Amino acid sequence: MNQTQLIDYLNNKVLEYNKPDFIQSDPIQIPKQFDRKEDIEISAFLISTLAWGNRTAIIKSGQRLLDIMDFKPYEYVRNYQEQKHSFVHRTFNSDDLNAFFVSLQRIYQQGGLEQAFKSHPEIPGVQGRIISFRNAFTQEPFPDRTHKHLANPLKGSSAKRINMFLRWMVRKDESGVDFGIWDTIPMSELHLPLDVHTGNVARKLGILTRTQNDWKSVAEIQEQLVQFDPKDPCKYDFALFGLGVFEGLK
């Protein structure tokens, strides 16, 4: 198909998958249980951090996190005192969770999660914002072992989970899926949460040539998606993900 046909095809797939039914099988259902901005942010950030592997297991771990926080994420973080938790999700363990709570408490004392994703003085766009956040979040005494749970695009990571979290927080539309509760980051900056599914579909459709799912691939896809919709390129995550996961396009 030519580019016009491809854009029409993907736009139709966005409409097909970007609707409330999507929430039923997606980790975004964890923060959807809250109305308060800070509760949404914290629960969304934590569940997005765990979002690799089987989605049923991810959601189950997210519910366990809500139990730990007594279903009051912001209050729990604000009053947090270091402790051991009985929690493991794949390689994310109780030490990692404790470190995340300590850092989240400091982040909110310094202005909150949205403020932490501020523009970087040297690195433009969302890549710089991720680095700004990572630098703020990993201040000592952040454990060495826990660094692996925060993507670093400067080291080549696609930062899939952070980009997904940012999509949730920033994208504004009428579908009822993404929250759109952050105003300081323009939707035009959002990058695709690249994973094995979206990467395979993007290659099949000819909008990605690189074989690795790394930051260079994220940047390559971004060049295409901003041509399709310069104001909201990340909406195509619904199309690429839906084609890969629900329709099995490889």
Side-chain angles (χ1 to χ4, degrees):
M1 65 183 84
N2 60 36
Q3 180 162 304
T4 299
Q5 292 171 326
L6 177 59
I7 293 172
D8 288 342
Y9 176 68
L10 290 176
N11 282 336
N12 286 331
K13 289 299 177 181
V14 171
L15 293 175
E16 181 177 348
Y17 292 112
N18 182 21
K19 55 188 181 182
D21 288 349
F22 184 87
I23 299 169
Q24 297 175 7
S25 60
D26 194 77
I28 200 173
Q29 67 182 259
I30 298 298
K32 282 290 180 181
Q33 300 176 52
F34 300 101
D35 297 315
R36 186 177 185 176
K37 179 176 184 281
E38 293 83 0
D39 289 332
I40 293 170
E41 293 170 342
I42 292 168
S43 58
F45 174 67
L46 291 172
I47 191 62
S48 65
T49 299
L50 305 182
W52 80 99
N54 179 274
R55 289 199 294 164
T56 300
I58 294 166
I59 293 166
K60 183 177 179 180
S61 291
Q63 288 297 140
R64 287 166 53 209
L65 282 178
L66 296 187
D67 287 337
I68 288 172
M69 296 183 289
D70 197 27
F71 284 80
K72 298 176 182 177
Y74 182 50
E75 182 178 325
Y76 185 83
V77 164
R78 187 175 55 188
N79 300 314
Y80 185 68
Q81 295 182 349
E82 292 195 51
Q83 58 186 280
K84 278 280 189 180
H85 304 85
S86 177
F87 183 84
V88 176
H89 177 83
R90 298 180 71 115
T91 64
F92 191 97
N93 66 17
S94 59
D95 292 333
D96 301 317
L97 184 57
N98 178 69
F100 266 58
F101 282 142
V102 170
S103 290
L104 282 169
Q105 185 179 67
R106 184 183 66 255
I107 288 292
Y108 277 95
Q109 290 170 348
Q110 296 173 347
L113 266 173
E114 182 175 6
Q115 188 276 333
F117 282 90
K118 62 186 178 182
S119 297
H120 193 279
E122 299 176 1
I123 305 170
V126 78
Q127 183 186 34
R129 293 183 186 277
I130 293 172
I131 297 304
S132 291
F133 167 73
R134 198 177 192 282
N135 290 341
F137 199 79
T138 59
Q139 292 177 21
E140 292 186 357
F142 200 79
D144 288 342
R145 65 153 280 124
T146 308
H147 279 261
K148 66 186 177 185
H149 295 296
L150 279 174
N152 187 349
L154 292 183
K155 292 187 176 181
S157 172
S158 69
K160 175 253 181 177
R161 288 170 285 169
I162 295 181
N163 279 322
M164 182 178 70
F165 168 70
L166 290 174
R167 194 205 85 202
W168 292 352
M169 296 298 98
V170 174
R171 278 199 74 251
K172 297 176 175 64
D173 63 15
E174 302 300 321
S175 73
V177 179
D178 293 324
F179 290 94
I181 56 176
W182 286 7
D183 298 317
T184 55
I185 302 175
M187 289 199 304
S188 59
E189 281 191 17
L190 295 176
H191 282 45
L192 182 78
L194 179 65
D195 63 9
V196 63
H197 304 292
T198 54
N200 287 341
V201 173
R203 293 180 188 97
K204 181 71 173 179
L205 297 176
I207 58 178
L208 176 63
T209 60
R210 287 178 57 80
T211 57
Q212 304 95 324
N213 290 332
D214 56 11
W215 188 264
K216 289 183 179 179
S217 292
V218 173
E220 181 184 330
I221 292 177
Q222 187 74 0
E223 291 181 5
Q224 294 290 323
L225 298 186
V226 295
Q227 294 181 40
F228 299 168
D229 189 334
K231 294 183 179 179
D232 187 15
C234 200
K235 75 181 185 183
Y236 294 106
D237 182 33
F238 290 101
L240 299 177
F241 185 81
L243 284 166
V245 173
F246 301 123
E247 299 187 34
L249 181 64
K250 298 180 181 179

